[in-house]
Short mmCIF file of all heavy atoms in Angstrom, two decimals:
data_model
loop_
_atom_site.label_atom_id
_atom_site.label_comp_id
_atom_site.label_asym_id
_atom_site.label_seq_id
_atom_site.Cartn_x
_atom_site.Cartn_y
_atom_site.Cartn_z
N GLN V 48 89.69 89.99 112.69
CA GLN V 48 91.15 89.92 112.59
C GLN V 48 91.53 88.51 112.79
O GLN V 48 91.25 87.97 113.99
CB GLN V 48 91.73 90.76 113.79
CG GLN V 48 91.17 92.23 113.68
CD GLN V 48 92.05 93.11 114.57
OE1 GLN V 48 92.06 93.05 115.76
NE2 GLN V 48 92.75 93.97 113.87
N LEU V 53 96.81 89.77 114.08
CA LEU V 53 97.25 90.01 115.51
C LEU V 53 98.71 89.95 115.44
O LEU V 53 99.36 90.84 116.23
CB LEU V 53 96.51 88.96 116.43
CG LEU V 53 95.08 89.09 116.64
CD1 LEU V 53 94.57 87.83 117.36
CD2 LEU V 53 94.74 90.44 117.30
N LEU V 56 99.86 93.18 114.31
CA LEU V 56 99.54 94.25 115.34
C LEU V 56 100.55 94.25 116.51
O LEU V 56 100.93 95.22 117.09
CB LEU V 56 98.23 94.20 115.88
CG LEU V 56 96.93 94.58 114.91
CD1 LEU V 56 95.71 94.37 115.60
CD2 LEU V 56 97.10 96.18 114.51
N ASP V 57 101.04 92.96 116.77
CA ASP V 57 101.98 92.86 117.88
C ASP V 57 103.32 93.57 117.54
O ASP V 57 103.97 94.06 118.35
CB ASP V 57 102.24 91.40 118.11
CG ASP V 57 102.93 91.12 119.37
OD1 ASP V 57 102.61 91.81 120.34
OD2 ASP V 57 103.87 90.29 119.41
N LEU V 59 103.52 96.22 116.09
CA LEU V 59 103.19 97.59 116.37
C LEU V 59 103.13 97.85 117.85
O LEU V 59 102.92 99.06 118.23
CB LEU V 59 102.09 98.10 115.66
CG LEU V 59 101.98 98.02 114.13
CD1 LEU V 59 100.62 98.39 113.56
CD2 LEU V 59 103.16 98.70 113.39
N GLY V 60 103.13 96.79 118.60
CA GLY V 60 102.91 96.91 120.05
C GLY V 60 101.50 97.05 120.54
O GLY V 60 101.22 97.57 121.59
N VAL V 61 100.52 96.76 119.67
CA VAL V 61 99.05 97.03 120.04
C VAL V 61 98.18 95.76 120.04
O VAL V 61 97.02 95.84 120.17
CB VAL V 61 98.48 98.05 119.23
CG1 VAL V 61 99.14 99.38 119.38
CG2 VAL V 61 98.44 97.64 117.72
N ALA V 62 98.74 94.56 119.73
CA ALA V 62 97.95 93.33 119.72
C ALA V 62 97.09 93.15 120.97
O ALA V 62 95.99 92.84 120.94
CB ALA V 62 98.74 92.17 119.40
N ASP V 63 97.85 93.25 122.10
CA ASP V 63 97.12 92.98 123.47
C ASP V 63 96.00 93.94 123.60
O ASP V 63 94.94 93.50 124.16
CB ASP V 63 98.20 92.98 124.53
CG ASP V 63 99.17 91.71 124.44
OD1 ASP V 63 98.63 90.68 124.47
OD2 ASP V 63 100.37 91.97 124.11
N GLU V 64 96.26 95.17 123.34
CA GLU V 64 95.20 96.23 123.53
C GLU V 64 93.96 95.94 122.64
O GLU V 64 92.82 96.00 123.05
CB GLU V 64 95.84 97.70 123.21
CG GLU V 64 94.92 98.70 123.63
CD GLU V 64 94.53 98.87 125.20
OE1 GLU V 64 94.96 97.94 125.99
OE2 GLU V 64 93.67 99.59 125.52
N ALA V 65 94.32 95.52 121.37
CA ALA V 65 93.26 95.23 120.55
C ALA V 65 92.43 93.98 120.96
O ALA V 65 91.20 93.97 120.82
CB ALA V 65 93.76 94.93 119.07
N MET V 66 93.15 93.05 121.45
CA MET V 66 92.28 91.92 122.06
C MET V 66 91.65 92.23 123.37
O MET V 66 90.51 91.74 123.58
CB MET V 66 93.28 90.71 122.36
CG MET V 66 93.84 90.10 121.07
SD MET V 66 94.66 88.46 121.30
CE MET V 66 96.18 88.99 122.03
N ARG V 67 92.26 93.14 124.20
CA ARG V 67 91.66 93.53 125.46
C ARG V 67 90.38 94.30 125.15
O ARG V 67 89.33 94.11 125.81
CB ARG V 67 92.55 94.38 126.23
CG ARG V 67 92.11 94.60 127.63
CD ARG V 67 92.99 95.59 128.41
NE ARG V 67 93.04 96.90 127.95
CZ ARG V 67 91.99 97.74 128.28
NH1 ARG V 67 91.03 97.41 129.04
NH2 ARG V 67 92.06 99.03 127.82
N ARG V 68 90.35 95.10 124.05
CA ARG V 68 89.14 95.83 123.79
C ARG V 68 88.27 95.34 122.75
O ARG V 68 87.17 95.83 122.36
CB ARG V 68 89.58 97.26 123.35
CG ARG V 68 90.10 98.15 124.51
CD ARG V 68 91.09 99.32 124.21
NE ARG V 68 90.40 100.51 123.61
CZ ARG V 68 91.16 101.55 123.34
NH1 ARG V 68 92.47 101.70 123.63
NH2 ARG V 68 90.53 102.58 122.80
N GLY V 69 88.72 94.13 122.23
CA GLY V 69 87.94 93.41 121.18
C GLY V 69 87.37 92.21 121.78
O GLY V 69 87.00 92.15 122.93
N SER V 70 87.27 91.11 121.07
CA SER V 70 86.74 89.84 121.48
C SER V 70 87.43 88.67 120.93
O SER V 70 87.03 88.32 119.72
CB SER V 70 85.22 89.81 121.21
OG SER V 70 84.78 88.60 121.87
N PRO V 71 88.52 88.16 121.44
CA PRO V 71 89.23 87.00 120.94
C PRO V 71 88.35 85.69 120.89
O PRO V 71 87.43 85.50 121.69
CB PRO V 71 90.35 86.70 121.85
CG PRO V 71 90.55 87.98 122.66
CD PRO V 71 89.09 88.58 122.66
N ARG V 95 100.68 82.78 120.70
CA ARG V 95 99.64 83.15 121.88
C ARG V 95 98.46 83.78 121.07
O ARG V 95 97.59 84.14 121.77
CB ARG V 95 100.27 84.01 122.82
CG ARG V 95 100.72 85.40 122.39
CD ARG V 95 101.63 86.09 123.37
NE ARG V 95 101.94 87.44 122.91
CZ ARG V 95 101.31 88.51 123.12
NH1 ARG V 95 100.10 88.43 123.72
NH2 ARG V 95 101.67 89.64 122.59
N PHE V 96 98.43 83.98 119.68
CA PHE V 96 97.31 84.62 119.06
C PHE V 96 96.22 83.65 118.66
O PHE V 96 96.58 82.66 117.99
CB PHE V 96 97.82 85.54 118.00
CG PHE V 96 98.87 86.53 118.39
CD1 PHE V 96 100.08 86.52 117.84
CD2 PHE V 96 98.44 87.48 119.27
CE1 PHE V 96 101.03 87.55 118.33
CE2 PHE V 96 99.33 88.43 119.82
CZ PHE V 96 100.63 88.43 119.25
N ASN V 100 90.31 87.62 116.43
CA ASN V 100 89.80 88.66 117.26
C ASN V 100 88.71 89.44 116.58
O ASN V 100 89.08 90.00 115.49
CB ASN V 100 91.01 89.44 117.67
CG ASN V 100 90.57 90.64 118.76
OD1 ASN V 100 90.00 90.29 119.69
ND2 ASN V 100 90.98 91.82 118.55
N GLY V 101 87.50 89.57 117.12
CA GLY V 101 86.54 90.39 116.42
C GLY V 101 86.72 91.77 117.18
O GLY V 101 87.00 91.77 118.43
N ILE V 102 86.55 92.87 116.44
CA ILE V 102 86.67 94.15 117.07
C ILE V 102 85.80 95.13 116.24
O ILE V 102 85.74 94.99 114.99
CB ILE V 102 88.20 94.61 117.11
CG1 ILE V 102 88.41 95.79 117.99
CG2 ILE V 102 88.72 94.80 115.75
CD1 ILE V 102 89.83 96.00 118.39
N ILE V 106 86.74 100.93 117.47
CA ILE V 106 87.76 100.66 118.51
C ILE V 106 89.11 100.44 118.02
O ILE V 106 90.11 100.90 118.46
CB ILE V 106 87.22 99.50 119.43
CG1 ILE V 106 85.90 99.82 120.09
CG2 ILE V 106 88.30 99.09 120.39
CD1 ILE V 106 85.28 98.87 120.98
N LEU V 107 89.17 99.65 116.85
CA LEU V 107 90.46 99.37 116.31
C LEU V 107 91.17 100.67 115.79
O LEU V 107 92.33 100.86 116.10
CB LEU V 107 90.43 98.47 115.07
CG LEU V 107 91.63 98.16 114.22
CD1 LEU V 107 92.73 97.49 115.09
CD2 LEU V 107 91.30 97.30 113.02
N ASP V 109 90.65 103.58 117.15
CA ASP V 109 91.08 104.32 118.39
C ASP V 109 92.34 103.67 118.93
O ASP V 109 93.26 104.41 119.24
CB ASP V 109 90.06 104.16 119.54
CG ASP V 109 88.81 104.95 119.25
OD1 ASP V 109 88.75 105.86 118.29
OD2 ASP V 109 87.75 104.77 119.95
N VAL V 110 92.49 102.35 118.93
CA VAL V 110 93.75 101.78 119.36
C VAL V 110 94.90 102.15 118.53
O VAL V 110 95.96 102.59 119.07
CB VAL V 110 93.56 100.20 119.40
CG1 VAL V 110 94.87 99.49 119.60
CG2 VAL V 110 92.61 99.61 120.35
N LEU V 111 94.80 102.15 117.17
CA LEU V 111 95.84 102.57 116.37
C LEU V 111 96.13 104.05 116.46
O LEU V 111 97.31 104.49 116.60
CB LEU V 111 95.62 102.25 114.98
CG LEU V 111 95.49 100.78 114.63
CD1 LEU V 111 94.98 100.47 113.21
CD2 LEU V 111 96.89 100.18 114.63
N GLU V 113 95.58 106.10 118.99
CA GLU V 113 96.26 106.52 120.36
C GLU V 113 97.74 106.02 120.29
O GLU V 113 98.64 106.77 120.78
CB GLU V 113 95.50 105.62 121.47
CG GLU V 113 94.21 106.25 121.81
CD GLU V 113 93.24 105.25 122.61
OE1 GLU V 113 93.81 104.34 123.29
OE2 GLU V 113 92.05 105.46 122.54
N ALA V 114 98.02 104.83 119.67
CA ALA V 114 99.41 104.37 119.57
C ALA V 114 100.19 105.35 118.70
O ALA V 114 101.35 105.69 119.02
CB ALA V 114 99.46 103.01 119.08
N GLU V 117 100.95 108.41 120.69
CA GLU V 117 101.95 108.15 121.67
C GLU V 117 103.44 108.04 121.09
O GLU V 117 104.41 108.36 121.69
CB GLU V 117 101.79 106.82 122.39
CG GLU V 117 100.71 106.94 123.51
CD GLU V 117 100.18 105.66 123.93
OE1 GLU V 117 100.85 104.60 123.64
OE2 GLU V 117 99.01 105.62 124.36
N MET V 209 82.25 91.37 118.76
CA MET V 209 83.00 92.65 118.53
C MET V 209 83.67 92.99 119.85
O MET V 209 84.73 93.48 120.04
CB MET V 209 82.11 93.78 118.21
CG MET V 209 81.75 93.81 116.75
SD MET V 209 81.33 95.45 116.15
CE MET V 209 79.81 95.75 117.08
#
Side-chain angles (χ1 to χ4, degrees):
Q48 306 194 292
L53 293 168
L56 287 175
D57 194 40
L59 306 177
V61 296
D63 291 299
E64 190 60 6
M66 288 193 286
R67 193 183 69 77
R68 285 155 78 173
S70 181
R95 68 192 179 89
F96 300 119
N100 183 47
I102 190 165
I106 294 176
L107 175 61
D109 288 348
V110 168
L111 291 171
E113 286 161 22
E117 278 161 23
M209 283 201 295

